[in-house]
Amino acid sequence: MNVRPSLPTHDLAERVAAIVRAIRERSDLVPRVGLTLGSGLGGVMEALDRPVVFPTRELPHWPPSTVAGHAGRLGIGHWQGVPVVALAGRSHRYEGYPLDRVTLVVRVMRALGASTLLFTNAVGAINPEFVPGELVLATDHINFIGKRGLFTAAELAERRAGRRSAAYYSLRLREALGAAAARAGVKLHRGTLMGGQGPTYETAAEIRMAAALGADVACMSTVHEVTLATELGCEAASLSCVTNLATGISETPLTHDEVTVIADRGAVGLRKILEEFLREEAGR
């Protein structure tokens, strides 16, 4: 696979501005909420009311998504009366991209006006009480993906004074999403998310280590996205669909097709939660 060479982080502002200009040529909508949709969850995009949709390959500087089940579309429109921007087809570190490119969408959503960012993902269950098809609300994370390239030099200098927030996962959003799940009648676990490099699934030994560290589910995204979103001043939350049992817990080898099929089923409950959440947000 040919991966475009990384650009220096000092060009981030210019790259973000170029993407925003391209979007503003077709839409002047200012989103309140940004959604990043994981494996098999891109169908949520269809819920948007008359969205303006951009194939991400047509947006300047956007890293192409190379993963099956990741459509590569950015849509901006209304959902339950709330202006939103949604990405179906995130980029990953394991595709060969540096973190400044992987998290470009976070900066773009913030620049468009979104101050609430919700991330969805497919995860493997480490906690034995979680089963495929169920949903998990992240309360915290363990970052094995890294942070190198996540911030500009100026942002790094500012961060030396301390973190912007004591918790990366907004308590308000966690409570609101939990209440939305209850109203929708959707079972919602709480747990700690572990983000790994990928692209292969973790070994059984790595899963035992993750369990010992307190992780409940494992994925290959999100932890760096939430970190950046919070440091940029956004409220952030993560909803995961359990698509498989992690290596060493599952008795069979894991495949991406299995992940996508179960994620498609989980998207039904996820959509119900997001709709209930947005109905409440519309009244705020």
Side-chain angles (χ1 to χ4, degrees), residues 39-41 67-70 122 201 243-244 255-266:
S39 295
L41 301 172
V67 181
H70 288 248
Y201 297 98
T243 55
N244 54 274
T255 69
H256 183 73
D257 288 342
E258 174 188 357
V259 167
T260 302
V261 168
I262 302 298
D264 285 340
R265 298 180 200 164

Side-chain angles (χ1 to χ4, degrees), residues 43 49 53 78 93 100 146 162 166 176 196 207 213 236 258 281 283:
D49 181 26
V53 178
H78 286 84
R93 181 70 185 90
D100 66 290
I207 291 301
L213 292 174
E258 174 188 357
E281 286 293 292

Side-chain angles (χ1 to χ4, degrees), residues 28 33 74 76 86 89 109 234 265 280:
D28 60 2
V33 175
L74 186 79
I76 187 166
M109 287 181 173
C234 298
R265 298 180 200 164
E280 288 295 307

Side-chain angles (χ1 to χ4, degrees), residues 32-34 106 110 114-119 164-165 167-177 225-226 228-238 277 281 284:
R32 283 175 49 193
V33 175
V106 175
R110 185 71 183 101
S115 57
T116 296
L117 298 188
L118 305 180
F119 302 89
R164 185 183 291 270
S165 174
Y168 284 138
Y169 295 82
S170 162
L171 178 59
R172 182 190 78 83
L173 292 182
R174 281 155 44 195
E175 292 178 344
L177 289 166
E225 298 165 330
V226 167
L228 179 61
T230 304
E231 294 292 346
L232 292 179
C234 298
E235 285 189 288
S238 169
F277 168 77
E281 286 293 292
R284 290 185 69 227

Side-chain angles (χ1 to χ4, degrees), residues 19-207:
I19 295 170
V20 170
R21 282 196 299 271
I23 293 170
R24 288 298 178 224
E25 287 177 1
R26 293 179 54 195
S27 174
D28 60 2
L29 183 67
V30 177
R32 283 175 49 193
V33 175
L35 304 170
T36 298
L37 308 169
S39 295
L41 301 172
V44 173
M45 178 80 77
E46 312 309 322
L48 299 187
D49 181 26
R50 292 175 292 178
V52 177
V53 178
F54 303 82
T56 53
R57 66 179 180 275
E58 296 178 4
L59 294 172
H61 307 298
W62 203 281
S65 178
T66 64
V67 181
H70 288 248
R73 294 183 300 158
L74 186 79
I76 187 166
H78 286 84
W79 192 7
Q80 300 298 321
V82 178
V84 304
V85 55
L87 173 70
R90 59 158 50 93
S91 301
H92 301 80
R93 181 70 185 90
Y94 66 71
E95 293 175 84
Y97 298 121
L99 288 185
D100 66 290
R101 300 197 72 197
V102 171
T103 57
L104 193 61
V105 62
V106 175
R107 294 180 181 275
V108 169
M109 287 181 173
R110 185 71 183 101
L112 288 169
S115 57
T116 296
L117 298 188
L118 305 180
F119 302 89
T120 75
N121 47 67
V123 296
I126 299 172
N127 189 318
E129 296 183 4
F130 298 176
V131 299
E134 293 181 337
L135 302 177
V136 183
L137 177 66
T139 56
D140 207 342
H141 72 226
I142 299 170
N143 183 355
F144 284 154
I145 293 176
K147 299 178 183 178
R148 184 177 178 84
L150 196 59
F151 302 105
T152 65
E155 288 167 344
L156 284 172
E158 180 183 353
R159 289 184 86 240
R160 291 191 185 100
R163 283 172 48 174
R164 185 183 291 270
S165 174
Y168 284 138
Y169 295 82
S170 162
L171 178 59
R172 182 190 78 83
L173 292 182
R174 281 155 44 195
E175 292 178 344
L177 289 166
R183 291 194 302 272
V186 178
K187 184 177 181 179
L188 184 63
H189 293 287
R190 274 77 168 170
T192 297
L193 177 67
M194 184 193 79
Q197 288 269 5
T200 57
Y201 297 98
E202 298 78 13
T203 67
E206 289 169 339
I207 291 301

